[in-house]
Amino acid sequence: MSSNAPLQLTREAASLVFSGALLREAITPARLREAEHLCKGAATFDLAAVTAIDSAGLAFLVTLAKTLPALQIHTSPDGFPDLCSAYRLDARLAFANG
């Protein structure tokens, strides 16, 4: 999959599956509404097929994660752990204490 592949969101059981590039240009109000609808009751964000992520993509995930207290992340894309560390986010995409 090309790193420029458009962002796709699908719901598979209790997982919200992200694929393609999770970059600033993909984050629109309509995309946020779609994601909020799809993530209701989700337990997992599956990021295995995310080809690229930037700080706007991370902020998008954080916004969605706020409503999912038991969230788990499945397979993080390249750069994701570094972004989370830079913004002091824990494994559930909440701001870490300390």
Side-chain angles (χ1 to χ4, degrees), residues 81-97:
D82 293 334
L83 279 171
C84 288
S85 179
Y87 289 98
R88 298 181 183 184
L89 298 172
D90 65 19
R92 293 197 172 115
L93 299 180
F95 290 102
N97 294 326

Side-chain angles (χ1 to χ4, degrees), residues 36-47:
E36 287 172 335
H37 174 74
L38 288 171
C39 80
K40 289 180 183 173
T44 304
F45 284 174
D46 185 339
L47 306 178

Side-chain angles (χ1 to χ4, degrees), residues 42-73:
T44 304
F45 284 174
D46 185 339
L47 306 178
V50 171
T51 57
I53 187 168
D54 64 10
S55 58
L58 181 64
F60 180 71
L61 294 176
V62 168
T63 298
L64 296 173
K66 287 180 181 179
T67 63
L68 305 169
L71 177 69
Q72 295 182 5
I73 305 295

Side-chain angles (χ1 to χ4, degrees), residues 1-8 19-23 25-26 49-53:
M1 182 179 292
S2 165
S3 63
N4 294 328
L7 178 63
Q8 299 290 319
S19 61
L22 191 49
L23 302 173
E25 54 270 10
V50 171
T51 57
I53 187 168

